[in-house]
Amino acid sequence: GSSLGLLPRWMTKRQPDEISARTFLKFAAPVLTLILGKISAFGFMTNAAAGLPGQPATLAAHQIALSLFFFASPFLEVISQIAQAFLPTYTVLPKEERGRKADVAEWHAASERFVFRLEKVGLGVGVLIASVVGSIVAFAPGIVTKDAGVQAAAKPLALILAAGVSLTAPVAVSEGALIARKE
C-alpha cells in the first residue's frame, strides 16, 4: 500500500512512495467535490420536503424515496467501478503496437466501444433497478411503511424515483470513464 509519503521511511521499510500528496489530491479533489455536491443536493431536497404541507407524511415519504435511492445506488455505482478497473488498459498501447497511427486510432475506437457498451449495460441495469424501487413505492408501499398517509404521500414519488435511479447508472459509467481516463 501507499503511505502517500506521510509515514517515515523506517515505518514503511521501503523507498519513498512515488505518489505524493499533490498527485493524490489531483485525483481526490474532483471525487471529493462530487461527493460534497451529492450531499448538498440531498440536504437541500430534504429541506424542501420538510417545508411541504402535510407534515409529517410528506417528509416520511421523501425519506422512503431517498432510502430506496440509496439502496439502489450500490447496484448502479458498481458499473462506475467496472469502467475504472478495465478502461485504463485502453490508455496504454502494448509495446509492439506503439508508433503506428492506425493502431492508436483502433485502440481509441476500442476504448470508445467499451464505454458505449458499459453505457448500454448501465442503462439496462438502471431501468431494471428503477422498475423494482419504483414498483415498491407505487404498488407495494406496505413493504416500507404501514402508515396509510405516508403510503399515499409516497406514491406520487414513484415515477420521479424511478427516473432518478434509471439515469444514475449511465451517469456513474460516465463518471467512471472520466476518472479512468484522468479527464
Side-chain angles (χ1 to χ4, degrees):
S2 173
S3 67
L4 297 177
L6 301 175
L7 297 176
R9 286 186 196 175
W10 63 269
M11 288 183 78
T12 61
K13 296 182 181 170
R14 304 173 82 192
Q15 295 294 325
D17 294 335
E18 291 183 27
I19 299 174
S20 67
R22 177 176 284 160
T23 304
F24 176 73
L25 286 175
K26 279 183 175 178
F27 173 78
V31 174
L32 181 62
T33 303
L34 177 73
I35 291 169
L36 290 175
K38 287 179 180 181
I39 291 170
S40 298
F42 295 131
F44 285 120
M45 286 188 279
T46 301
N47 187 39
L52 294 173
Q55 294 302 332
T58 53
L59 188 57
H62 164 74
Q63 186 61 42
I64 287 169
L66 197 56
S67 295
L68 286 171
F69 179 82
F70 289 143
F71 171 77
S73 289
F75 298 101
L76 309 172
E77 291 286 335
V78 73
I79 301 168
S80 170
Q81 295 167 3
I82 290 170
Q84 291 174 51
F86 293 105
L87 199 55
T89 59
Y90 290 99
T91 60
V92 179
L93 282 172
K95 287 181 182 178
E96 63 273 4
E97 295 186 28
R98 291 183 186 158
R100 295 188 299 236
K101 288 188 178 190
D103 291 334
V104 173
E106 189 176 307
W107 199 254
H108 183 70
S111 168
E112 293 300 322
R113 285 191 303 272
F114 179 68
V115 172
F116 185 69
R117 268 188 253 128
L118 278 179
E119 289 287 357
K120 289 193 301 188
V121 168
L123 193 57
V125 169
V127 167
L128 177 69
I129 300 297
S131 64
V132 171
V133 296
S135 294
I136 289 171
V137 173
F139 306 115
I143 293 173
V144 290
T145 182
K146 300 297 178 203
D147 188 295
V150 174
Q151 290 178 4
K155 281 190 179 191
L157 299 177
L159 185 59
I160 296 167
L161 173 63
V165 168
S166 66
L167 294 174
T168 297
V171 169
V173 171
S174 298
E175 173 189 357
L178 290 172
I179 290 171
R181 290 177 174 163
K182 299 177 182 177
E183 293 179 355

